Amino acid sequence: MLHDALILLPDFILIVLGLLLVRFTALNRSVWDGVERLVYFVLFPALLFSTTSRGHASLGDTRDFVIAGAAMLLIGIGLSYLAFWSRKADRRCVASGVQTAFRFNSYIALAVADRVGGPPAVSLVAVLIAVGVPLCNVAAVWALARHAQSNVWRELLRNPLLIATVAGLTVHSLGLSLPEPIVPALDRLGHASIALGLMTVGAGLQWRGLHRELPVGLWFLSIRHLLLPLSAMALAWAFALPPLQALVLVLFAAMPTASSAYVLAARMGGDGPYVAGLVSLSTVLGAFSIPVFLAVMQH
């Protein structure tokens, strides 16, 4: 397992670097807000489009993998919604934090996939993102406010990660090829996205508000870092997935929660600081859960 942890060490070093830069240099939070928008709207979409358009994976030839991924996320959503049955827990905290149990950090997922499986693994993660973005966003927003459903669909249609993945899969399915000068440009944007994306994760870490409804928060994170990976392992066995697909599915299930969960909670009147604390703790837990499940799947 130590070897597997060392494989991922460069990625977590970049997360720590982002934390150190925002805390101890002039590159404060306002700078990283701009960097995060650049990564989210330009660099990561370029990476997703580039990998999915080259035919490493498509929705058609990964049917069982897609079904298993959707089932894994639905299990996480169902388990997290059990928290609404608690009469003692603060409803606002539950509605805000429930998304941390099933949403995923695309930045870390793509970086880990690139390290353990190269472009084919990155393309598989892109397919999971195409499935998971609409599913998880609808579930997250429904928990915060049912009346916001119409807004959810508008946001999904404008989501750059989803648009880029669908566009790449479309190009691949039609048998089209990109002009040669475009390919290296997309590759350079994609390589930049992984490093900057990981540093923005570190720059966004904060712990205030975590003490509120900590038991419920620990339930959410136990789903995210234990129950979902175990569910993914069971689904990979049930569907007899090929080794790389099984590995990517389990690692995807072990990812930290989405850093944008805080943004959604704050925008919709939820408990933003509480969610920010859960996101930060989830990122730390991911440093342990990812190597553990990587070791399990490779041995």
Side-chain angles (χ1 to χ4, degrees), residues 43-58 65 106-130 165 169 187 190-191 193-194 244-245 247-249 251-252:
L43 301 183
F44 261 135
L47 174 65
L48 292 173
F49 178 79
S50 175
T51 55
T52 54
S53 65
R54 295 185 192 182
H56 295 295
S58 68
F65 175 72
S106 301
Y107 304 161
I108 298 178
L110 289 165
V112 171
D114 183 59
R115 188 162 295 279
V116 301
V122 171
S123 189
L124 288 171
V125 168
V127 171
L128 287 178
I129 290 174
T165 301
L169 291 172
D187 287 341
H191 292 153
S193 73
I194 292 177
L244 181 61
Q245 292 186 12
L247 175 63
V248 169
L249 181 68
L251 290 181
F252 188 81

Side-chain angles (χ1 to χ4, degrees), residues 16-136:
V16 174
L17 176 60
L19 175 63
L20 295 176
L21 288 174
V22 78
R23 295 288 176 86
F24 301 110
T25 73
L27 299 175
N28 56 27
R29 185 59 234 175
S30 62
V31 173
W32 288 99
D33 286 340
V35 173
E36 189 166 9
R37 286 194 294 271
L38 175 66
V39 171
Y40 186 75
F41 287 103
V42 179
L43 301 183
F44 261 135
L47 174 65
L48 292 173
F49 178 79
S50 175
T51 55
T52 54
S53 65
R54 295 185 192 182
H56 295 295
S58 68
L59 291 175
D61 56 23
T62 55
R63 184 192 61 182
D64 290 344
F65 175 72
V66 168
I67 295 173
M72 178 266 295
L73 292 173
L74 287 172
I75 289 171
I77 293 168
L79 290 173
S80 65
Y81 277 12
L82 293 177
F84 284 109
W85 289 1
S86 174
R87 297 182 179 180
K88 296 181 180 179
D90 181 275
R91 303 288 289 183
R92 183 164 173 256
C93 284
V94 172
S96 302
V98 69
Q99 58 179 316
T100 61
F102 51 82
R103 293 187 67 191
F104 48 87
N105 193 308
S106 301
Y107 304 161
I108 298 178
L110 289 165
V112 171
D114 183 59
R115 188 162 295 279
V116 301
V122 171
S123 189
L124 288 171
V125 168
V127 171
L128 287 178
I129 290 174
V131 174
V133 165
L135 184 61
C136 292

Side-chain angles (χ1 to χ4, degrees), residues 100-200:
T100 61
F102 51 82
R103 293 187 67 191
F104 48 87
N105 193 308
S106 301
Y107 304 161
I108 298 178
L110 289 165
V112 171
D114 183 59
R115 188 162 295 279
V116 301
V122 171
S123 189
L124 288 171
V125 168
V127 171
L128 287 178
I129 290 174
V131 174
V133 165
L135 184 61
C136 292
N137 277 279
V138 169
V141 174
W142 183 89
L144 279 161
R146 295 184 185 182
H147 65 270
Q149 288 270 3
S150 59
N151 292 332
V152 178
W153 297 114
R154 258 201 321 271
E155 290 178 12
L156 290 178
L157 291 174
R158 296 183 299 183
N159 186 287
L161 305 185
L162 183 59
I163 292 172
T165 301
V166 172
L169 291 172
T170 301
V171 168
H172 168 57
S173 63
L174 294 176
L176 303 176
S177 58
L178 301 176
E180 187 56 35
I182 301 297
V183 174
L186 289 174
D187 287 341
R188 286 170 174 77
L189 290 173
H191 292 153
S193 73
I194 292 177
L196 286 176
L198 291 171
M199 285 192 287
T200 61

Side-chain angles (χ1 to χ4, degrees), residues 200-252:
T200 61
V201 172
L205 295 180
Q206 51 183 304
W207 305 101
R208 58 193 177 98
L210 183 59
H211 63 282
R212 295 198 286 274
E213 295 297 344
L214 184 58
V216 175
L218 293 178
W219 166 244
F220 293 148
L221 296 186
S222 68
I223 296 171
R224 175 71 271 176
H225 294 283
L226 179 61
L227 299 182
L228 277 189
L230 292 176
S231 299
M233 291 176 65
L235 289 164
W237 174 82
F239 282 94
L241 296 180
L244 181 61
Q245 292 186 12
L247 175 63
V248 169
L249 181 68
V250 173
L251 290 181
F252 188 81

Side-chain angles (χ1 to χ4, degrees), residues 250-261:
V250 173
L251 290 181
F252 188 81
M255 287 299 129
T257 194
S259 54
S260 58

